[in-house]
Amino acid sequence: MSKIVSIHSFRGGTGKSNSTANLAGIVARYGYRVGIVDTDIQSPGIHVLFGFDEQKMKYALNDYLWGRCNIEESAYDVSSVLGHSANKKGRIYLIPSSIKARDITKVLREGFDFNLLNEGFQKLLTALQLDYLFIDTHPGLNEETLLSIAISDILVLILRPDRQDFQGTAVTVEVARKLEVPNMLLLINKALPALDFDALKQQVEKIYNAPVAGILPLAEELIQLASSDLFCLRHPEHPLSQVMDKVARMIMQ
């Protein structure tokens, strides 16, 4: 059975898109067919992590939402990022949002049909024979994110060890429970290495009564990469990558 995995954070700057790309890459490396949809239409950018040339973007998610193409026509095979060591069955498809200013302005001004977005997700699962569809959501809570959360089999919430993140995540957890999301995981990002990770895990699990799938240390090597590649695929032995691999395996359970 195919699974829809939404990756969400209440605030921006949590590393949500980076986490989405790396988790999806790890799952595909294990031999699964994976899709990634950039539904952060107001501020798209996950395509940069895949080295995707915007000039080659004939169609984007926006075009499907505005009736210009079928959604599978906006999907691009970016499996080359997996490298030669990956399971040959693994594939990864990216459905980007347009980076053009006029398209972003059109979304902000006119919006789009959220039911059509849901239909598009289901069509992608079938047309591309996906095992997993990862949704990179827009931060905060709006109609689009509520839809993504509601139809998810797994919701991964990204938060930093920060009071504002803690408060916003509490709101999202409450909403997710009301929407009866089957499986919810918390992923703490950008934790200073000096912190007591075990104590932090216990604190967060007590606050939200939800499992912490992993704690990602703030890594200078990841910052230096500057979103130019999938860190976990290039440095699989790094402690951050090991945590990500653990989270990916929880998603695949």
Side-chain angles (χ1 to χ4, degrees):
M1 293 291 292
S2 302
K3 289 184 179 180
I4 295 178
V5 184
S6 284
I7 314 293
H8 184 64
S9 63
F10 189 81
R11 298 172 65 217
T14 59
K16 174 179 56 64
S17 293
N18 214 310
S19 297
T20 303
N22 278 278
L23 285 171
I26 292 170
V27 171
R29 187 185 61 190
Y30 275 108
Y32 293 100
R33 295 176 65 86
V34 175
I36 304 174
V37 184
D38 187 354
T39 64
D40 191 358
I41 301 177
Q42 296 94 325
S43 51
I46 197 171
H47 61 279
V48 174
L49 288 148
F50 294 91
F52 185 77
D53 184 356
E54 297 157 16
Q55 301 302 317
K56 296 179 181 178
M57 195 186 297
K58 182 179 180 181
Y59 294 118
L61 178 64
N62 310 59
D63 295 296
Y64 161 71
L65 294 172
W66 296 328
R68 299 171 182 168
C69 68
N70 296 318
I71 193 164
E72 58 268 27
E73 293 180 88
S74 66
Y76 301 88
D77 190 332
V78 292
S79 305
S80 59
V81 301
L82 300 175
H84 299 295
S85 62
N87 186 307
K88 292 183 179 179
K89 293 181 180 179
R91 309 300 298 177
I92 188 162
Y93 298 91
L94 174 67
I95 297 85
S97 283
S98 174
I99 197 67
K100 296 176 181 176
R102 66 173 182 272
D103 290 339
I104 295 173
T105 302
K106 180 179 173 69
V107 168
L108 293 173
R109 185 176 62 247
E110 302 176 11
F112 57 88
D113 185 342
F114 296 97
N115 291 322
L116 190 61
L117 184 62
N118 185 23
E119 290 176 15
F121 293 155
Q122 301 304 322
K123 288 179 180 177
L124 282 172
L125 292 172
T126 302
L128 300 178
Q129 298 180 322
L130 299 178
D131 298 302
Y132 295 91
L133 179 64
F134 283 77
I135 302 174
D136 183 24
T137 67
H138 183 67
L141 292 174
N142 57 22
E143 286 186 84
E144 171 263 308
T145 55
L146 289 174
L147 168 65
S148 299
I149 290 172
I151 65 171
S152 297
D153 299 292
I154 301 171
L155 172 64
V156 180
L157 291 176
I158 313 288
L159 68 155
R160 294 163 295 191
D162 173 276
R163 287 187 179 182
Q164 291 185 66
D165 277 18
F166 279 14
Q167 186 177 60
T169 300
V171 176
T172 310
V173 168
E174 182 181 356
V175 169
R177 289 202 167 109
K178 288 182 178 179
L179 293 173
E180 300 181 346
V181 175
N183 193 1
M184 179 167 51
L185 301 172
L186 302 175
L187 180 58
I188 302 171
N189 195 16
K190 301 183 179 180
L192 293 174
L195 291 174
D196 183 335
F197 282 19
D198 288 335
L200 178 60
K201 180 176 185 292
Q202 291 176 16
Q203 176 193 7
V204 172
E205 289 185 336
K206 183 177 180 181
I207 291 172
Y208 303 112
N209 192 27
V212 171
I215 300 177
L216 301 171
L218 183 64
E220 184 178 343
E221 301 94 327
L222 177 62
I223 297 171
Q224 290 174 341
L225 196 59
S227 298
S228 62
D229 203 348
L230 299 191
F231 181 85
C232 294
L233 299 187
R234 300 300 159 254
H235 306 283
E237 302 305 319
H238 191 280
L240 183 148
S241 302
Q242 293 292 304
V243 175
M244 277 291 203
D245 185 80
K246 174 189 171 186
V247 177
R249 283 186 277 113
M250 291 178 71
I251 289 172
M252 293 183 288
Q253 286 179 352

